[in-house]
Amino acid sequence: MWSLLWMLFIVKKTVEVIIASGNNYVIGVKKNQKTLYQSIEKCAQEKPIGYYSQLERNKGRIENRDVTVFNLPEEIKKQWTGAQHGIKIRREVKVNGRYREENAYYLSSIKNGSALLYNYGIRNHWHIENSLHWTKDVTMKEDASKIRLGNAPSIISTLKNGAMNIFRKQGMNQIAKATRLVANDIETLNKLIN
């Protein structure tokens, strides 16, 4: 319970920093944020101020995505610095004859955000997020790591992110191959860093 409250505190502080720096945010609302999630879910049932729908067919996968933008009540705007809109993304996916449906909710500080803009931005974010996590999980075996205590998991994750960024900056997009290249070769590693 305390870790959840602490994470919520950190997210709210991060949002304050983003707004203070003159930028905007779109953040996901998770089910473990029960009160906020239920409030957003309820708001999404009101009259939307924007709507966009997209149907995609790709390699036997059919996905219908409906994006609804709605105003937030004052109580949420007071709790979340800069919050302007709520976004609901409803996905209906059919793959190999199996059907699933899911809803995702977001808060945004963008004043004139359209449903099309949110669809594009959130979709592209997930593309980046999925490719990053796949690389970290499969190539760098992050999920299999036995490092679980204290700050060590965060430190190791940051080091892996740094290594991937160094490889990509040098044009090495095949992370597994790049890792093998520098493994036990401090001279090559040093050249990449400098």
Side-chain angles (χ1 to χ4, degrees):
M1 174 68 174
W2 286 108
S3 62
L4 178 60
L5 292 173
W6 179 247
M7 287 303 294
L8 196 55
F9 172 77
I10 290 172
V11 172
K12 284 185 175 182
K13 287 294 179 191
T14 302
V15 161
E16 289 174 12
V17 170
I18 290 168
I19 294 300
S21 69
N23 292 293
N24 287 298
Y25 62 83
V26 176
I27 58 171
V29 178
K30 309 242 175 166
K31 285 186 179 179
N32 64 0
Q33 300 165 314
K34 194 172 183 177
T35 306
L36 178 61
Y37 188 89
Q38 289 172 344
S39 296
I40 295 289
E41 199 172 32
K42 184 178 177 185
C43 292
Q45 296 170 6
E46 302 296 321
K47 184 178 178 187
I49 60 170
Y51 177 80
Y52 176 76
S53 185
Q54 181 179 25
L55 179 66
E56 252 181 29
R57 295 171 192 222
N58 190 3
K59 298 179 183 175
R61 182 179 195 268
I62 300 171
E63 180 177 352
N64 185 52
R65 195 174 314 106
D66 295 325
V67 181
T68 309
V69 181
F70 48 91
N71 285 317
L72 294 170
E74 289 304 315
E75 64 194 49
I76 293 177
K77 287 182 176 184
K78 286 178 187 173
Q79 293 175 11
W80 292 88
T81 304
Q84 297 292 320
H85 297 122
I87 302 117
K88 175 184 178 183
I89 299 184
R90 182 171 191 263
R91 296 180 193 94
E92 296 173 327
V93 181
K94 187 175 181 183
V95 183
N96 301 324
R98 300 175 88 179
Y99 174 83
R100 81 175 194 284
E101 188 178 307
E102 59 190 32
N103 293 323
Y105 297 95
Y106 299 85
L107 290 177
S108 171
S109 65
I110 301 171
K111 290 184 176 152
N112 298 316
S114 69
L116 176 63
L117 171 77
Y118 289 128
N119 179 64
Y120 179 77
I122 291 168
R123 182 114 169 103
N124 282 341
H125 169 76
W126 277 110
H127 173 73
I128 293 165
E129 192 79 13
N130 286 340
S131 64
L132 171 69
H133 287 296
W134 186 88
T135 302
K136 287 176 75 177
D137 293 345
V138 175
T139 305
M140 298 197 144
K141 299 176 177 49
E142 190 164 84
D143 285 350
S145 175
K146 303 290 184 206
I147 300 168
R148 305 227 188 277
L149 299 176
N151 293 327
S154 303
I155 293 168
I156 294 297
S157 182
T158 301
L159 289 171
K160 288 178 181 181
N161 285 343
M164 288 190 310
N165 286 332
I166 290 168
F167 292 150
R168 288 188 175 131
K169 186 176 179 187
Q170 297 297 325
M172 305 167 99
N173 293 320
Q174 295 178 359
I175 303 301
K177 185 177 179 181
T179 303
R180 286 190 300 273
L181 175 71
V182 301
N184 300 319
D185 188 351
I186 196 73
E187 292 300 320
T188 302
L189 183 61
N190 190 36
K191 287 177 189 174
L192 290 177
I193 294 170
N194 294 321

